[in-house]
Amino acid sequence: MSTTSEPLESLAPTLSVRQVLMLERVLAGEPEVVAGAAQLDRAVRWVHVAEAADVGVMLSGGEMVLTTGVLLAGDDDKQAEYIRSLHRAEAAAVVLGLGRAFPAPPDVMRRAAERCGLPMVVLHRPFPFAELTEEVQARLVRRKFAAVSMSEAVRTALTGLITAGAPLQHLLDEIAHHSGCPVVVTNLAHRVLATAGERSAVDDVLRDWERIARQAGGSEGDGWIRAELGGRGERWGQIMLCGYRGDTATGRLLADRAAESLVLHRMLGGASAHSWEEQSAQSLLTDLVSGVVPARQLLPRARAAGLPVNRRTFVPLVVRDGDPGELNRVLRLLGLPGIVAELADGATAVLLSLARDQDAAVLTANFAARLTQTVVAAADPRTAWDDVPAGMREARHVADAVASGALDLPAVVRLKDVHLRGLIRLLRDDPHVQSFAERELDGLLCAAGDDLLAVLRTYLATGRNKSRTAQLHHVSRPALYRRLEAIQGRLGVDLDDFEQAASVHIALLAHDAQQA
């Protein structure tokens, strides 16, 4: 948290000309802007009282110069050169106290200031310059101290999070808290890797991200402040404060502190071995699968992550035991736009985005053919983004239904391929199904029944083929018969009866689904 209670705008290490003119002591002098009114937002770095005609050579830029003009009176050339020298020295403004030297604003100085774009202010009432100097210098010192304190508070907070092993998102949330605006981290291609800030404000920024980011890339106007991310001479991204409302210098200081922390976080690996790109994809696909966030709200994030979304066909896939790195390499090899993210329980989600005239079935089969020792579960293609979450859940359901690998499967498994096993997976959390499984298998659901349960599972999965079951369990047929008799005795069923065997089979599928 910040060590100061002042708003961010007041933490600027400088004052603008406009802010100086609004000070109570200055207002008492009845200031009037007679030239350069469009430049009143210039930063005032210091206040300098000087009567010397060649004061410009003593300035280093950003000063507000206070003068009575006593050494300039009666000499138009000196007056014009005085203004030009201040302009060359990049002074912030000139304030002329009207009096004996100049009872009215001098036209020569006013016209020269207007041509140079230098703010020129006259004071209509006598004003002790020392009071203004003291007031502004004190405020500047306080502001510089407050800005440094804020900077150190941000650094301390972010360093603490890194030391505690916090994920990237926690760091960005802290940065957004201090900046009071959306924060976006991108790679060098302007693809969004992570965001933080108020969700609606972030969505507004991401809605037309590519155009906005490229326009803002070359400047820091309108509160867009960016800092490069990189190290050892290599850039790999940037962090942007989007619509920062405070002073640009303070915002740049905050962005620099944020960039330092993000580079350190990445160097140390953060709390996860995944790259930021993978974390971004994982966050997006996890939200799609869960359905907690409406699909329409996720669309700006998908577009900003580089996924084509306009007039596309989306193919939701879930790959069992798939390596995200390998899946990404296969996508690049086949030239298929998509995002990949690891989910829980060894499943990896893949969302393909295909052109409407591409054959989704053929391309999905080509993708699956490039993988080894994996199960690729697919949902039917979706042409509407709002239907993608349901498709992702369907693909996840299919992958869960075949996780045991007990079936002979096609290269791409769909809902129609999982039959009864798929239905049981859908119903596994139903209390009636759970009670049914416990009741049907009660005689085997104990430690002593584990071996018999395994034999029963194989026997039913092979279509009650005794020879095949004996072979898979490496026992003789007589030994298998004895075990089947024990199973039937414990369960009180006749496995030669189709209905009873089917009942036990369904209960076993439900039991295995609950265990998974």
Side-chain angles (χ1 to χ4, degrees), residues 320-321 345 375 397-406 409 421 425 516:
R320 299 297 311 186
D321 304 318
D345 304 324
V375 173
H397 162 63
V398 173
D400 287 346
V402 298
S404 65
L409 301 170
R421 187 182 299 269
R425 296 288 297 197

Side-chain angles (χ1 to χ4, degrees), residues 443-444 452 480-492:
L444 297 180
L452 295 180
L480 176 65
Y481 293 156
R482 288 193 294 273
R483 294 185 185 186
L484 291 176
E485 288 175 0
I487 291 171
Q488 292 181 107
R490 288 197 179 196
L491 297 182

Side-chain angles (χ1 to χ4, degrees), residues 438-446 448-449 452 486-487 489-492:
E438 291 288 325
R439 185 170 61 252
E440 289 290 301
L441 302 175
D442 181 58
L444 297 180
L445 297 181
C446 60
L452 295 180
I487 291 171
R490 288 197 179 196
L491 297 182

Side-chain angles (χ1 to χ4, degrees), residues 138-161:
R139 286 177 179 263
L140 289 175
V141 169
R142 286 200 301 271
R143 284 165 174 262
K144 288 180 180 179
F145 176 77
V148 171
S149 297
M150 182 274 294
S151 173
E152 289 307 308
V154 172
R155 176 182 285 171
T156 300
L158 296 178
T159 302
L161 289 173

